Amino acid sequence: MKFALKMVAVSAAAILLTAGCSSPSGTTTGDSTGGSANYNLTLLPKNLGNPYFDTSNKGAAEAAGEFSGKITFTGPAEGAADSQVSFINTATQQKVGAVMIASNDQTAVCDALNEAMAAGVKVVTFDSDAPTCRDIFINQATADGIAKVLVEMIVDQVDNEGQIAILSATANATNQNAWIESMKKDLAANHPGIELVEVVYGDDQDQMSFDKTAALLATYPELKGIVAPTTVGIAAAARYVSTSEYKGKVAVTGLGTPNDMRAYVTDGTVTEFALWNPADLGYLATYAAKALIDGTITGAEGDKFEAGKLGSYTVGADKTVLLGDPYKFNKGNIGDFDF
Ligand code: RAM
């Protein structure tokens, strides 16, 4: 319940911010008057137009507002491998204090991020890491923790047997690929009755994810469930299934936002799905950027910093800070959340 109350509080703050100073793309917030420190921060999502990252932006804007920082929310229209590079280069040329990035492809962005750091820009990855070319990674939950919840949900929803498929984001997404690897191990070790027939990619695009869902269902008539570890994918899959003959027969689960998924939980298409709070993720990434700029932390294991209303955080192994555990949403609790 503590989590629920926190989420309601966050969304109330987010609504206030939306009214004042934040919109889905290319926006700036605050006036960056934080003394001599450079609190001009670029927030670079995988792609624009994804409500998940819009929500992270609201959290980032809230945090920046608390220390007179300025967030510029900018990024590519589509999550292609190298589509973030020019945005990183622009931020470097603008001499921002920090870039906070959910990287589409760790290899494609690495050179640009290393150049940014060489020019004095702090680099914070969040959501999807680029492990060898950043100061710190703000991890929403451990890969094994996320995979465990995904497996628990699908196994439960298909009674631990039969064919399932995965509808992912892009084929090179660092975060989804780590979660899928861990899911495969868990399935192989603990759920011999489950057959994972295919992993398909909707590229975090609504229409492509919708079409890939249709194709999966046509190709595998025995399919009992689809796991989509992407907020775009699960919403598209649920929309397809909700008006099809498969509603109530094929389980749809994965990672989604309560606002995207509410209608499908209400109409019985989806029983349960999970996520963390993307606003908290953006908020924490912003305070980590501030701590790096202030020199309070360098990213070394054991470094501590304050993150406003979220409290105190300690940097763990591999220069990583952990937000917390994923959370399951269902008919019984979805009404408590608004993001
Ligand atoms: C999509 C993106 C993001 C992921 C969520 C769960 O919005 O792929 O990276 O963390 O889904």
Side-chain angles (χ1 to χ4, degrees), residues 69-123:
K70 186 174 97 174
I71 302 287
T72 299
F73 182 53
T74 184
E78 289 184 4
D82 59 359
S83 59
Q84 292 171 309
V85 171
S86 64
F87 294 89
I88 300 167
N89 292 340
T90 300
T92 304
Q93 281 151 17
Q94 290 171 339
K95 300 192 188 328
V96 299
V99 170
M100 302 180 281
I101 177 174
S103 64
N104 271 318
D105 179 317
Q106 53 176 305
T107 313
V109 293
C110 227
D111 285 351
L113 290 180
N114 280 329
E115 281 165 24
M117 287 191 289
V121 176
K122 302 299 180 191
V123 172

Side-chain angles (χ1 to χ4, degrees), residues 230-256:
T230 133
T231 57
V232 179
I234 191 176
R239 191 170 86 254
Y240 183 85
V241 171
S242 70
T243 59
S244 77
E245 62 188 288
Y246 305 103
K247 181 178 167 193
K249 295 188 186 120
V250 175
V252 177
T253 190
L255 302 173

Side-chain angles (χ1 to χ4, degrees), residues 46 50 52-53 102 127-128 140 169 175-176 179 204 229-232 255 275-276:
K46 283 180 168 179
N50 179 343
Y52 174 93
F53 291 114
D127 179 69
S128 185
Q140 51 270 56
N175 54 347
Q176 272 90 10
W179 307 335
D204 269 349
T230 133
T231 57
V232 179
L255 302 173
L275 199 68
W276 43 90

Side-chain angles (χ1 to χ4, degrees), residues 3-36:
F3 183 86
L5 290 173
K6 197 196 232 176
M7 304 285 258
V8 171
V10 167
S11 58
I15 289 162
L16 289 175
L17 278 163
T18 311
C21 45
S22 180
S23 77
S25 66
T27 48
T28 55
T29 306
D31 58 5
S32 186
T33 51
S36 57

Side-chain angles (χ1 to χ4, degrees), residues 63 66-67 283-284 287 305-313:
E66 290 166 2
F67 57 86
Y283 186 95
L284 182 55
Y287 268 99
F305 65 101
E306 292 299 321
K309 66 177 185 188
L310 295 180
S312 177
Y313 280 81

